[in-house]
Amino acid sequence: MDELYATPRPRVTASMLPKYVGNNVTMVGLVDSGDIASDGNSFRLKVDDKTAVTVVMNTPLNELLEDVVEVTGTVNNQSHLQCITYRKITSTVEFSLDNYNKTVELAHSHPEYCTYK
Amino acid sequence: MFQNSGGMQDFGGDFGGGGFQVGGFGSPAVGDRQKKIRSQNIVPVTAQNVSEMIPDDSAFRLGDNDVSHVTLVGTVIHSEKSQTCTTYKIDDTTGTVIVKHWNSLDSEDDGMEGEESPVYEQGSTVRVFAQVRSFQKIVTLNALHIRPVEDLNEITVHMLECIKFNMVSKAKKNQKPSFPNQSSNAGFSQFSSGGGFAGNQMNQSSAMNMGMNAVQTQVWQLIEGSTDPGGMSITEIRSTLKGLNLNRIKEALDFLSNEGHIYSTVDDEHFKSTS
C-alpha cells in the first residue's frame, strides 16, 4: 500500500480517464446499491449526472456501498478503474459532487496554479 | 470557516494583533508597512506545494511568497503515537506530508489529559494548521491544531483556496491589475503598493465587498475619514449624512463595531475606525 502513496494520484473526472490510462487516479462519485454487480467484483460509480465509471475490484466487495465513495485505482485501457482502495465519504453536510467536479476540472485546466515551480 | 477553527490563541506572539483575514490571503496592515517582516498569513497548501517549498533562512519560500504557517486538508494514512508526539502521514492525492503533533505541555497537569490525545485514525479526513519545518532536507509540518473534517465540501473548498492563493500571488508578481472583480479586500491592498489604484477607490470597492450595505458603508467611510483623535460622534454623523435617521445610523454603528471595523472612544457616542 505504501507504494501507492509514493506517487500522486490526481483527482480526475470521467472525461479525463483516457489521458490517464495506466496511471493511478482518485475519483469521487455516487454508488447506488443497485449498481453493484451480484458477484461483488465490480460496481458502477456515478461521477456526475450523466456519466458512470465501472470500477473493478481485486477482491469482491464485502460491504454494501452507498452514497458518496472515493475510489483510488489504476485506469485500464477500457477506461475502467481497477480499484486499489476505496473509502466511504460521510459528511455531516451534503457533499456537492457538482462543485467537486467543477473544481477538479478547474484544477486541470489551470495546472500552472496548482504548483509553484 | 477559519474563524471557527478554535485554538488560534496558541500561536503566541507571531500574529501580532492582526487576527485572521478570510482565507489568509492578505497580510495584516502592519505587515504591509514594514518591508522585511515574516509572513503572517496562513497559506492554504496542497501536499505537492509542501514538497515545493524551499528553505530560506529560518522561513520557507513558496514561489515568491514567504510562508511560515500553512493549512492543509487530507486523509490520515498512517499514525504513530509516541510519548512526546503523534506523527501522522497525511495524503491529499497530490502527495503526502509528514505532520508532527506534539503533545500539549498542559497534559502534565491534572484534568488536561484529554487535550492532546485524540489520535486521528487511518482513513479519517482532517484539517491541519501547522508551521513549516525542515529536518534533514525534508519539509515537515509541526501541527498547531488538527481537527476532523465534518463537512466534506471542505475538501473542495480547500482545493479552490490553494488555486486562488496561487493565482493571486502570481498576478501580484506580474503587477497586473487584472482582478477588477476581486472580492477579497486583501487582494486590493496588495495591489495598492504596486500602484494603479487610488486609495479612495480601493476603499470604496473593498468596503462594498466587505458585506456592508449602503448605510453601513457611508457611516464607515465617514468615520474612517475623520482625523479627530476622539473619534466621530453620532451627532456629527447625523449632521453629515442628513438623509439617514438616527435608528439606521445606530444600527449601522452596531454592525460595524460587531464586525470590528470601528470602536467607541470617549463614550458610547464617539467612534473611531480600526483600520
Side-chain angles (χ1 to χ4, degrees):
Chain A
M1 192 61 87
D2 276 341
E3 327 78 63
L4 173 66
Y5 295 110
T7 53
R9 288 130 279 115
R11 293 183 181 273
V12 296
T13 60
S15 49
M16 300 172 197
L17 280 177
K19 281 180 248 167
Y20 285 90
V21 174
N23 293 327
N24 291 340
V25 296
T26 311
M27 294 194 86
V28 174
L30 294 163
V31 181
D32 189 57
S33 45
D35 288 334
I36 307 179
S38 42
D39 58 5
N41 278 328
S42 70
F43 61 91
R44 288 182 69 68
L45 189 73
K46 275 204 283 283
V47 294
D48 66 37
D49 289 335
K50 292 162 255 168
T51 332
V53 174
T54 308
V55 179
V56 179
M57 309 291 299
N58 286 327
T59 52
L61 274 176
N62 52 13
E63 57 176 343
L64 201 62
L65 283 181
E66 53 182 5
D67 288 335
V68 188
V69 175
E70 181 188 77
V71 177
T72 300
T74 321
V75 187
N76 69 16
N77 43 23
Q78 295 151 304
S79 285
H80 293 169
L81 205 60
Q82 184 75 36
C83 175
I84 304 178
T85 181
Y86 69 87
R87 65 188 183 101
K88 294 190 196 175
I89 301 246
T90 48
S91 183
T92 49
V93 174
E94 189 184 330
F95 179 71
S96 165
L97 194 57
D98 193 40
N99 284 339
Y100 170 83
N101 282 330
K102 285 188 191 149
T103 305
V104 173
E105 275 164 25
L106 194 75
H108 282 259
S109 54
H110 294 279
E112 68 276 14
Y113 294 129
C114 297
T115 177
Y116 286 90
K117 287 242 169 77
Chain B
M1 173 176 72
F2 285 113
Q3 282 85 345
N4 295 331
S5 308
M8 293 305 184
Q9 278 65 34
D10 297 340
F11 292 174
D14 270 4
F15 288 91
F20 302 107
Q21 302 203 2
V22 175
F25 294 131
S27 305
V30 174
D32 272 343
R33 280 179 222 134
Q34 294 165 258
K35 292 263 164 74
K36 195 174 163 33
I37 188 172
R38 177 89 51 98
S39 156
Q40 300 199 357
N41 306 335
I42 304 185
V43 178
V45 292
T46 61
Q48 188 184 0
N49 296 152
V50 173
S51 65
E52 291 166 351
M53 288 197 198
I54 308 162
D56 171 26
D57 284 336
S58 48
F60 292 83
R61 289 190 70 72
L62 191 63
D64 277 327
N65 310 296
D66 288 317
V67 291
S68 51
H69 294 84
V70 296
T71 177
L72 178 77
V73 171
T75 315
V76 177
I77 51 176
H78 185 73
S79 64
E80 204 178 285
K81 193 172 163 79
S82 81
Q83 274 212 319
T84 49
C85 79
T86 321
T87 307
Y88 296 101
K89 200 167 179 191
I90 295 192
D91 162 67
D92 71 352
T93 76
T94 65
T96 61
V97 183
I98 307 278
V99 177
K100 280 190 191 297
H101 193 179
W102 299 91
N103 289 350
S104 145
L105 294 171
D106 290 339
S107 63
E108 314 238 326
D109 299 336
D110 292 337
M112 287 297 269
E113 284 192 22
E115 185 74 45
E116 42 71 24
S117 50
V119 175
Y120 295 96
E121 38 176 71
Q122 253 175 296
S124 58
T125 308
V126 294
R127 175 174 291 272
V128 176
F129 292 95
Q131 280 178 313
V132 189
R133 290 279 174 270
S134 70
F135 179 65
Q136 295 174 349
K137 292 206 179 155
I138 306 175
V139 178
T140 64
L141 300 183
N142 272 4
L144 294 157
H145 184 70
I146 304 184
R147 64 163 169 78
V149 165
E150 317 252 281
D151 171 6
L152 283 145
N153 290 305
E154 208 172 327
I155 301 177
T156 312
V157 170
H158 183 74
M159 282 163 63
L160 289 167
E161 283 175 347
C162 294
I163 294 176
K164 187 186 178 187
F165 183 82
N166 203 325
M167 275 175 81
V168 169
S169 73
K170 287 192 167 133
K172 175 186 160 201
K173 175 183 165 187
N174 296 335
Q175 300 257 344
K176 259 186 286 181
S178 54
F179 296 93
N181 298 320
Q182 177 68 275
S183 60
S184 158
N185 60 323
F188 277 107
S189 61
Q190 287 175 343
F191 285 128
S192 66
S193 52
F197 285 93
N200 215 15
Q201 202 178 356
M202 172 187 87
N203 279 343
Q204 229 170 31
S205 39
S206 60
M208 287 309 276
N209 287 315
M210 273 201 261
M212 296 189 213
N213 65 26
V215 176
Q216 291 154 0
T217 318
Q218 279 182 297
V219 173
W220 183 67
Q221 279 174 346
L222 203 59
I223 296 178
E224 221 202 357
S226 153
T227 48
D228 189 354
M232 196 160 214
S233 72
I234 296 191
T235 27
E236 279 174 44
I237 300 177
R238 272 185 84 190
S239 57
T240 318
L241 299 175
K242 290 190 184 62
L244 301 172
N245 68 29
L246 186 61
N247 276 338
R248 295 194 73 184
I249 295 180
K250 281 197 171 170
E251 272 171 25
L253 288 168
D254 273 341
F255 172 83
L256 291 168
S257 68
N258 278 342
E259 294 287 309
H261 298 305
I262 60 175
Y263 59 96
S264 54
T265 56
V266 181
D267 59 19
D268 286 342
E269 309 250 318
H270 289 78
F271 295 91
K272 267 186 84 136
S273 160
T274 45
S275 52

